[in-house]
Amino acid sequence: MSKSSITASGHTLWSKMPKANTELFALTYGSLITELLKDYDNDIEEINNQLERIGHSIGIRCIDELLAKSEVNGIDIGPCSNLENTAEVVAKIGFRCFLGMTCDVANVTEKSFSLFLYENPLSIFVELPETTNGDDDDRHQSFNSDGKENSGGGPDWSKLKYSNVYCGVIRGALEQINMKVECDFVRDVLRGHDVNEIKVELKEIMSDGAGQDYHEE
Amino acid sequence: MNKQESPLLFLIVGRNEPLYSSEFISNQKPTSDSITRQHYFVMHSALDLVDKFAFTYPQMYLKTVDKVNHQMVSVFLTASHVKFMVLHSGKGDDVLKQFFMEVYELYVKLSMNPFYQFDTHITSKDFDDRVRVLGMRYLL
C-alpha cells in the first residue's frame, strides 16, 4: 500500500468508528493511574509494568478489530512487505482509527522504528507532580542499598511513563501477527521533551501454526 | 501620605486552610506597603462573612463582603465551596469579576489533573505563573 492510500484509509476508518468524549476518556485513564498508584503504593516501576500489561490485553483485541473493520469498509491493507510498511500501518491506520491521533514514523532501520505522537488525548489535563527528595527536612535519611530511590522522599515522578499503555497495545497487536516486539517510551511531553516518542524494536518473527503438540507425526 | 498604592493579596481558601496565595505589588520599590500579618488577619476575619453570604446570594461572585479602613475583601465562591479572595482597595467590580472568572478556569483545569487531590495545596508552577500574569493584567 502506498503512503497516501494508508493515510486516506486511516481517515476513512476514523470516520466510521463510534466516538467517545475525549474528556471522559482522559479523566477515566487518569483515575486508573491514581488507583494504580494507591494499589501499588507509589511503586513507579511496577505501575509502568502494569500499564504495559493492560495495554497488551487491549492490543491483542485491537488488531482483530482493525483488520475486520477495514475489510468491512472495503479497505485492503494487505500483508506488509517490510517493517517500514508495518510501521506506517500502525501509525497511520492504527493510531488514527482508534484514537484520532496523528502519528509519524521515523528512524526506520531493519529491526526498529520510532513513532512520534504529537497530541496525546490521554494526557490533556495532566501535569506530573514535582519529585520531592526529603532533603529539606531533617537529615535523617535512610540509607538504601537500592540507589534508584530517593532516600526517605516521595516517588520519582519523572520515571512514570504515563502513556505506557500505548507500548503494551503495540506489543499485543503485533504479537498476534507473529511479530515479537519490545516497545519503550523514549521521550515524553509530560517529562519536558517536545514530542512523545515510542521506540519499537523487532525481536523476532515467530513461526506460524500451533505448538509442538499439534504437529503431525 | 497617599495610601492609594496598597498591595493586593489573592488567596485560594479550601475547606480548612489556604491552598494558594500570591501577592501583587504595583510599585517596584518595596516600601512599607508589603503584605503584613494584618492583611492575612483581615482575610481570615472575612471568612465568616463569606459563609453568611454563601447561602443567600445566588451568584458565584460575591462582590465585596468586607471593608476594613480603606481595604476591601472581594470573594468568588466556587460550587465546591472553595473561596477565591482578593484584598484590594477600590478595584471595580467588573475588573474583579473578569479576574475571578479567568482564575476559575485555571482552577478547573488544574482540578482535572489526576495527580491533584481536591482541597490540597496548589504547588503547580504553571498555575502560579498564569495567575501572576492574570494578576498583573487585571489588578494592577
Side-chain angles (χ1 to χ4, degrees):
Chain A
M1 275 187 105
S2 68
K3 281 206 180 136
S4 55
S5 64
I6 289 183
T7 324
S9 315
H11 285 273
T12 322
L13 279 175
W14 168 243
S15 60
K16 300 274 195 273
M17 298 288 266
K19 307 286 191 293
N21 187 319
T22 315
E23 291 185 356
L24 177 65
F25 183 55
L27 292 174
T28 309
Y29 187 72
S31 58
L32 172 73
I33 299 274
T34 40
E35 279 305 307
L36 280 173
L37 284 167
K38 271 183 224 150
D39 287 346
Y40 289 96
D41 207 22
N42 289 351
D43 181 358
I44 304 288
E45 279 304 316
E46 186 56 38
I47 289 168
N48 287 339
N49 292 336
Q50 286 298 324
L51 287 175
E52 220 264 344
R53 245 172 269 168
I54 291 170
H56 184 262
S57 313
I58 298 175
I60 56 181
R61 291 158 177 86
C62 275
I63 179 78
D64 284 321
E65 169 134 14
L66 177 76
L67 293 173
K69 275 252 153 59
S70 54
E71 220 22 77
V72 163
N73 289 307
I75 296 169
D76 177 28
I77 300 186
C80 294
S81 43
N82 53 16
L83 189 64
E84 182 170 1
N85 223 344
T86 316
E88 287 285 330
V89 172
V90 167
K92 298 285 190 278
I93 304 189
F95 273 94
R96 183 90 208 149
C97 88
F98 287 114
L99 295 165
M101 287 166 78
T102 10
C103 184
D104 276 338
V105 179
N107 303 341
V108 183
T109 67
E110 239 179 53
K111 290 260 174 181
S112 71
F113 60 90
S114 285
L115 290 172
F116 286 107
L117 311 169
Y118 296 110
E119 343 93 19
N120 184 359
L122 290 177
S123 62
I124 43 180
F125 299 119
V126 180
E127 196 185 307
L128 289 179
E130 296 288 318
T131 309
T132 53
N133 273 336
D135 281 344
D136 28 16
D137 301 329
D138 311 328
R139 293 223 159 246
H140 55 59
Q141 294 167 4
S142 48
F143 287 87
N144 294 338
S145 51
D146 180 1
K148 277 187 283 184
E149 269 175 39
N150 292 322
S151 19
D156 188 3
W157 296 105
S158 59
K159 295 236 162 45
L160 179 66
K161 296 177 186 165
Y162 190 81
S163 310
N164 211 22
V165 80
Y166 291 147
C167 297
V169 170
I170 297 172
R171 181 170 74 90
L174 292 178
E175 194 175 291
Q176 295 301 95
I177 47 174
N178 290 334
M179 291 172 70
K180 197 171 187 151
V181 296
E182 263 177 30
C183 301
D184 195 25
F185 242 97
V186 177
R187 287 192 285 171
D188 196 347
V189 170
L190 292 174
R191 282 183 258 165
H193 307 120
D194 42 356
V195 282
N196 298 310
E197 183 183 338
I198 300 180
K199 190 162 166 68
V200 182
E201 274 174 29
L202 178 65
K203 291 293 162 195
E204 61 168 312
I205 305 269
M206 302 183 286
S207 55
D208 216 359
Q212 204 59 23
D213 304 327
Y214 296 97
H215 281 171
E216 290 185 32
E217 300 289 313
Chain B
M1 268 254 271
N2 205 347
K3 278 238 174 177
Q4 244 180 11
E5 309 280 12
S6 89
L8 290 147
L9 175 61
F10 170 61
L11 276 185
I12 297 184
V13 182
R15 300 277 168 83
N16 302 318
E17 54 173 8
L19 308 177
Y20 173 79
S21 79
S22 72
E23 302 151 14
F24 304 105
I25 306 179
S26 55
N27 42 354
Q28 296 303 318
K29 313 184 277 265
T31 60
S32 61
D33 292 344
S34 51
I35 300 287
T36 60
R37 297 231 186 274
Q38 194 200 14
H39 297 113
Y40 283 101
F41 180 74
V42 168
M43 290 288 229
H44 194 263
S45 62
L47 286 176
D48 282 335
L49 289 159
V50 173
D51 289 330
K52 179 176 151 206
F53 285 118
F55 294 100
T56 54
Y57 199 72
Q59 311 292 338
M60 272 186 169
Y61 174 46
L62 298 178
K63 303 201 184 153
T64 307
V65 300
D66 194 17
K67 249 190 221 161
V68 174
N69 300 333
H70 61 281
Q71 285 173 325
M72 311 196 303
V73 178
S74 294
V75 174
F76 180 94
L77 192 64
T78 69
S80 45
H81 277 258
V82 170
K83 308 164 188 68
F84 298 167
M85 307 171 77
V86 170
L87 181 73
H88 64 98
S89 48
K91 281 276 176 295
D93 266 350
D94 294 329
V95 171
L96 278 172
K97 186 172 190 178
Q98 280 184 323
F99 172 72
F100 278 133
M101 292 307 269
E102 300 227 1
V103 173
Y104 185 45
E105 274 184 35
L106 285 176
Y107 177 74
V108 166
K109 192 154 189 292
L110 171 81
S111 62
M112 302 269 242
N113 182 0
F115 295 110
Y116 174 69
Q117 251 190 323
F118 176 66
D119 215 19
T120 52
H121 281 264
I122 298 176
T123 51
S124 156
K125 184 99 191 11
D126 194 50
F127 182 78
D128 187 34
D129 291 339
R130 283 175 208 249
V131 166
R132 279 182 198 286
V133 166
L134 285 179
M136 291 293 146
R137 203 188 330 154
Y138 285 106
L139 298 179
L140 291 177

